[in-house]
Every structure is written in structure tokens, then in C-alpha cells.
């Protein structure tokens, strides 16, 4: 959530910056609501002062033996007007608050301005895509040849956009997640967490998925109890660990990592990536989250991105890093790097991780703060998140980049300790 002071003092600047994201802020509506709020607030404050003065005069009139009935009636009238004014003020504020919840984060000044993904800026590349001297197969063909990657049975169980993994491919999928968790905890300083897969609405509002993106979520309605939502990413549960908290500065930075399934309805993805494991309703992800002091968040973004890159480097998978432009960034991000891994069957790079600095945007929604040691006052923390990595997409990249002419797949060197001696699949 943006700072409401910005809308009161720099409304046009906020509108201009949001416009670079393709978001048209209704400036006239906000100005009208603010004017209405000020008018009602001024009238309410004047009424309150007048009521207080009148209440004092009642006691004085009573001491003088005067008839206080007219004064009491006047005070009752003012009390009714005050109640009406407070209700009107609450209504105006509720509309402003609801509007604030729909506004995306402001892009940082270092973010390239652009309309969509075509205007993202490549920052660097690592590795060289391998040249194959045989016809390249995609991960679906490679996985289905022995029945170890089964989309037909998954569709029988759950419908489209699900996968059933068996045998060595199921083990490889697990090995990837274990390898990532071990790397981030042993070498990158993250604390492993196991979080709930079901959360309530306030957690999703805190990280920005609600109210704007409810159609992308799987919701479980419960009669007489709060609704549950399946997590779209462990970012939700990990970041909300600090919701409503005031941390001590010595506790920061906090670095969490979790391996969880993720659930997304893919409401806007009709017809996209319908083959294989690129875009599914259920997938696994190893998620990294950092909670830091405000002055450290952009340095932390570079570190978090490097942590995700290290996974790909150790797996020896070619990739590139993109700085997302204003028009392609996620709702809560102020700056984002995407990592894209090389997918041979598609002859292009595909997203495998998004690493974002959200600044104080999520913290304000969650009321997550730390005590500034210099002032002693609570201030909002900054939050960051990134995939380290999406496990299913990493499996896709491993299957395709390590395939051999006979359709078998070599196991990457770094995964062999996790594969109980299996060096080749197929």
C-alpha cells in the first residue's frame, strides 16, 4: 500500500509514476473524496468544540437555577449531528482505504520505463546454450517415454494443468528442491521454514494478492468460519511472519526460505503454455523472503537475485537476467529482476525466477515495523521475495538441457548425491 500522505501532497506525481505502469489513477475522484473528507472533518471538529462549550454552560446554568432543558436539547442535537458526521467520515475513509488497496507500488527511479515484456532490459547472461547433434525433444516427450511424467492420468484425477510424476523423475523433482533448500540454508544464510498451505484473507491482503487478484486464487469457503485460500506462493506465509510485529533492529535482516506447493487458477492464462509443466495449477517452488531495514533493501535485492542465480550456475543451466520495465512488474514490486533459463525445445529463454524489492509497500499493508535505534520510534521494514527456484520449471530445464540422443537424461553433477546413485534417467 502506498503512503496516503503521498496522495494528499504529491497526487499528480503519483499519478504520473503509476501511468508508467499502465495504471490510470482517478485523480478527480481522489481529489473529490479528499475535499469531502476535509469538509466533514472540519465541520465535525467545530461541532465537537461547540458541544464541549455548550456542555460546560449547562453546569453553569444549572448552578444559576436556570432552565437547562433547551441547552440539553441543543447538546443532544449536536450529538446526533456528530454521530452522523463521524459515520460520513468513516464512509469516506473506507472508500479511500479500499482505493488505496487497489493501487500498485511506485516503480523505483532505476526501473526502465516501458509498456510490456518486450521493453524489459537484459542485464547479463551466464552460460552458453548447448548445440545438439540430434533432434531435440521437449520435456513432455522425454518424461512420457517410460511413463514417469504422466499428464493423462493427472487430467483424469484433476483436469488440465496438472502433472503426475513417478519413478526417477519424481525423485529428480524432489532432489532439486532439497538441493535448493540446502544451498540457501548452508551457504546463503536463510532459515528454513515450513509454513501452512492454507491462509486467511488478511495474509493475502498483506502481501498484495487481495483484493485485486482474487480470481487467481483457489478459495475454500467455510460456513460460519473465515474462508481459506491455498497459497499461490510461500511469499504469502513467509512475509506475513512479521505482520503486526515491531522488530528490534538487531533482529534484521530476517531471511526465510521454504519449499511448498503453490496453487494458482491461471485465470488469465487461457490457451498459454497448455503443453507440459510450464504453467500449472499446482507446482512446487522454493521461495526466499528477506525482511530488512529500509536503507538495505536494494543491496538485498542484488544479493537475493545472486542467490537464485547460484542455483542455475551450479546446475550449469544457461540463463539471463532481465530488469523488468515499469509495465511488466508485479503489483507489489518497486523493482524486479527476472531470471530466464534456456529451454532447448522452445529455442528461447523462459522465466524461472522473479526477484523483487517491495520496499515498504507490503509492510504498510501488514503493519510490519522495526524500532529505529537512532530515533527509538517504530518504522516500516522493507520486504523482498524471490523464487530460488520454481522447481517444476527447473525440472523442465534439466530434462531438456541434459538430454541425450537416445532420449535418456544425464543427472547434473550437483544432484547426484541426492539421487542415490542414479546418474542417467531412461
Amino acid at each position: 500500500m502506498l503512503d496516503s500522505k503521498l496522495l494528499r501532497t504529491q497526487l499528480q506525481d503519483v499519478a504520473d509514476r503509476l501511468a508508467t505502469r499502465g495504471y490510470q489513477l482517478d485523480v478527480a475522484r481522489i481529489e473529490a473524496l479528499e475535499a469531502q473528507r476535509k469538509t466533514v472533518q472540519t465541520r465535525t471538529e467545530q461541532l465537537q468544540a461547540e458541544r464541549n462549550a455548550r456542555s460546560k454552560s449547562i453546569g453553569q446554568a444549572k448552578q444559576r437555577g436556570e432552565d437547562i432543558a433547551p441547552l440539553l436539547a441543543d447538546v443532544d442535537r449536536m450529538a446526533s449531528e456528530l454521530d452522523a458526521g463521524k459515520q460520513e467520515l468513516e464512509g469516506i475513509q473506507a472508500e479511500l482505504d479500499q482505493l488505496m488497496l487497489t493501487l500498485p507500488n511506485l516503480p523505483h527511479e532505476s526501473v526502465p520505463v516501458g509498456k510490456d515484456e518486450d521493453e524489459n532490459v537484459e542485464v547479463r547472461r551466464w552460460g552458453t546454450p548447448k548445440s545438439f547433434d540430434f533432434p531435440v525433444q521437449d520435456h513432455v516427450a522425454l518424461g512420457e517415454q517410460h511413463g514417469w511424467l504422466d499428464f493423462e492420468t493427472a487430467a483424469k484425477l484433476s483436469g488440465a494443468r496438472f502433472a503426475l510424476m513417478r519413478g526417477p523423475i519424481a525423485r529428480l523433482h524432489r532432489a532439486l528442491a532439497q538441493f535448493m533448500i540446502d544451498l540457501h540454508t548452508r551457504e546463503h544464510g536463510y532459515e528454513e521454514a515450513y509454513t501452512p498451505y492454507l491462509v486467511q484473507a488478511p495474509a493475502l491482503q498483506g502481501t498484495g494478492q487481495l483484493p485485486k487478484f482474487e480470481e487467481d486464487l483457489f478459495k475454500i469457503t467455510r460456513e460460519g468460519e473465515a474462508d481459506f485460500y491455498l497459497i499461490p506462493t510461500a511469499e504469502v506465509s513467509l512475509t506475513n511472519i512479521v505482520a503486526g510485529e515491531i522488530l528490534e533492529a538487531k533482529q534484521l535482516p530476517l531471511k526465510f526460505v521454504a519449499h511448498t506447493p503453490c496453487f494458482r487458477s491461471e485465470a488469465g492464462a487461457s490457451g498459454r503454455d497448455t503443453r507440459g509443466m510450464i504453467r500449472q495449477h499446482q507446482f512446487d517452488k522454493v521461495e526466499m523472503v528477506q525482511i530488512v531495514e529500509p536503507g538495505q533493501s536494494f543491496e538485498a535485492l542484488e544479493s537475493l537475485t545472486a542467490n537464485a542465480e547460484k542455483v542455475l550456475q551450479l546446475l550449469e543451466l544457461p540463463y539471463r537476467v532481465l530488469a523488468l520495465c515499469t509495465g511488466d512488474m508485479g503489483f507489489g514490486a518497486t523493482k524486479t529482476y527476472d531470471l530466464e533459463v534456456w529451454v532447448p525445445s522452445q529455442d528461447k529463454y523462459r522465466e524461472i525466477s522473479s526477484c523483487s524489492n517491495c520496499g515498504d509497500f507490503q509492510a504498510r499493508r501488514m503493519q510490519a515495523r522495526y524500532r529505529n535505534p537512532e530515533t527509538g520510534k517504530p518504522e516500516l521494514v522493507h520486504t523482498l521475495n524471490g523464487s530460488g527456484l520454481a522447481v517444476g520449471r527447473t525440472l523442465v530445464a534439466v530434462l531438456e538441457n541434459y538430454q541425450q540422443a537416445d532420449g535418456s537424461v544425464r543427472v547434473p553433477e550437483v544432484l547426484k548425491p541426492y539421487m542415490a546413485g542414479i546418474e542417467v534417467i531412461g
Side-chain angles (χ1 to χ4, degrees):
M1 183 184 292
L2 300 181
D3 187 346
S4 58
K5 292 179 183 176
L6 282 176
L7 266 71
R8 290 197 293 271
T9 61
Q10 302 175 43
L11 180 57
Q12 192 54 54
D13 179 58
V14 170
D16 292 343
R17 292 173 69 184
L18 290 179
T20 68
R21 299 192 59 146
Y23 185 93
Q24 297 304 311
L25 184 62
D26 191 343
V27 172
R29 181 57 184 155
I30 293 175
E31 287 177 335
L33 284 169
E34 274 296 327
Q36 188 181 358
R37 184 185 64 81
K38 288 178 183 177
T39 298
V40 176
Q41 187 169 344
T42 299
R43 186 174 75 242
T44 302
E45 289 171 353
Q46 289 172 344
L47 265 172
Q48 185 65 59
E50 190 176 346
R51 182 172 180 256
N52 292 343
R54 196 62 54 90
S55 295
K56 285 183 181 179
S57 67
I58 289 174
Q60 295 167 351
K62 195 173 184 179
Q63 287 178 346
R64 294 193 297 268
E66 297 174 1
D67 181 10
I68 62 171
L71 293 174
L72 288 171
D74 211 20
V75 169
D76 287 343
R77 175 188 58 79
M78 290 180 186
S80 296
E81 289 184 16
L82 270 173
D83 286 342
K86 287 177 181 177
Q87 288 180 16
E88 186 178 0
L89 202 58
E90 287 173 1
I92 295 167
Q93 191 59 53
E95 186 172 349
L96 281 167
D97 290 345
Q98 195 60 31
L99 187 149
M100 291 292 291
L101 286 173
T102 67
L103 301 184
N105 203 353
L106 297 177
H108 187 257
E109 59 188 13
S110 64
V111 174
V113 176
K115 296 187 296 296
D116 53 37
E117 61 184 16
D118 294 332
E119 298 187 61
N120 294 336
V121 176
E122 186 173 314
V123 177
R124 57 185 171 271
R125 292 191 181 197
W126 187 92
T128 303
K130 179 183 176 181
S131 296
F132 294 89
D133 57 5
F134 55 85
V136 170
Q137 297 187 72
D138 69 6
H139 67 282
V140 177
L142 292 165
E144 285 183 336
Q145 60 183 331
H146 297 292
W148 293 332
L149 187 56
D150 186 348
F151 295 98
E152 185 176 338
T153 301
K156 179 179 70 175
L157 295 171
S158 306
R161 294 191 186 276
F162 289 92
L164 172 65
M165 289 176 276
R166 298 167 58 180
I169 283 184
R171 183 168 197 132
L172 182 60
H173 184 265
R174 175 162 57 90
L176 283 165
Q178 289 182 298
F179 157 64
M180 294 175 198
I181 288 287
D182 286 348
L183 175 66
H184 296 318
T185 55
R186 294 173 182 174
E187 297 187 23
H188 298 153
Y190 290 82
E191 177 187 350
E192 184 175 0
Y194 174 84
T195 78
Y197 302 160
L198 293 167
V199 295
Q200 296 179 5
L204 289 153
Q205 180 173 297
T207 44
Q209 284 80 14
L210 288 179
K212 190 173 177 62
F213 301 104
E214 183 157 8
E215 67 172 4
D216 294 324
L217 304 170
F218 285 107
K219 180 179 181 178
I220 300 172
T221 302
R222 301 188 298 163
E223 187 174 350
E225 297 187 72
D227 295 335
F228 274 145
Y229 293 84
L230 288 161
I231 57 170
T233 163
E235 170 200 341
V236 177
S237 42
L238 290 174
T239 309
N240 273 281
I241 289 174
V242 298
E245 300 290 330
I246 300 178
L247 305 167
E248 295 302 322
K250 64 183 179 182
Q251 294 177 262
L252 300 177
L254 290 172
K255 299 170 69 175
F256 299 120
V257 64
H259 166 219
T260 69
C262 305
F263 305 91
R264 300 184 186 177
S265 72
E266 295 293 349
S270 179
R272 294 173 60 194
D273 295 311
T274 54
R275 179 175 168 82
M277 296 181 63
I278 294 293
R279 195 177 300 276
Q280 296 200 293
H281 290 312
Q282 175 186 315
F283 59 96
D284 280 37
K285 190 145 67 84
V286 170
E287 183 75 5
M288 303 176 293
V289 161
Q290 294 195 27
I291 314 295
V292 304
E293 293 184 38
Q296 303 298 317
S297 64
F298 284 98
E299 180 182 341
L301 176 61
E302 300 300 325
S303 171
L304 182 139
T305 305
N307 297 157
E309 288 183 70
K310 189 65 174 179
V311 178
L312 292 170
Q313 291 168 9
L314 290 173
L315 289 170
E316 300 182 69
L317 294 171
Y319 68 90
R320 65 176 184 172
V321 180
L322 301 177
L324 298 196
C325 70
T326 52
D328 195 36
M329 281 199 309
F331 179 78
T334 188
K335 184 172 184 176
T336 297
Y337 292 118
D338 266 11
L339 273 59
E340 294 186 342
V341 69
W342 181 254
V343 178
S345 68
Q346 298 183 19
D347 197 33
K348 63 181 178 181
Y349 293 95
R350 295 299 306 265
E351 180 193 339
I352 198 167
S353 172
S354 235
C355 300
S356 297
N357 180 4
C358 296
D360 61 12
F361 185 84
Q362 293 178 327
R364 184 172 288 105
R365 298 167 80 105
M366 296 186 301
Q367 279 303 289
R369 296 171 289 172
Y370 81 109
R371 197 172 301 281
N372 187 318
E374 295 182 5
T375 65
K377 295 180 178 179
E379 296 180 13
L380 295 170
V381 296
H382 280 197
T383 64
L384 302 96
N385 63 80
S387 306
L389 302 166
V391 182
R393 291 194 179 194
T394 310
L395 177 66
V396 168
V398 167
L399 291 175
E400 295 201 10
N401 281 279
Y402 280 85
Q403 65 179 290
Q404 301 184 109
D406 62 358
S408 62
V409 176
R410 290 185 298 111
V411 173
E413 194 66 33
V414 75
L415 295 182
K416 288 180 181 179
Y418 298 89
M419 291 295 291
I422 300 174
E423 295 195 0
V424 177
I425 293 173

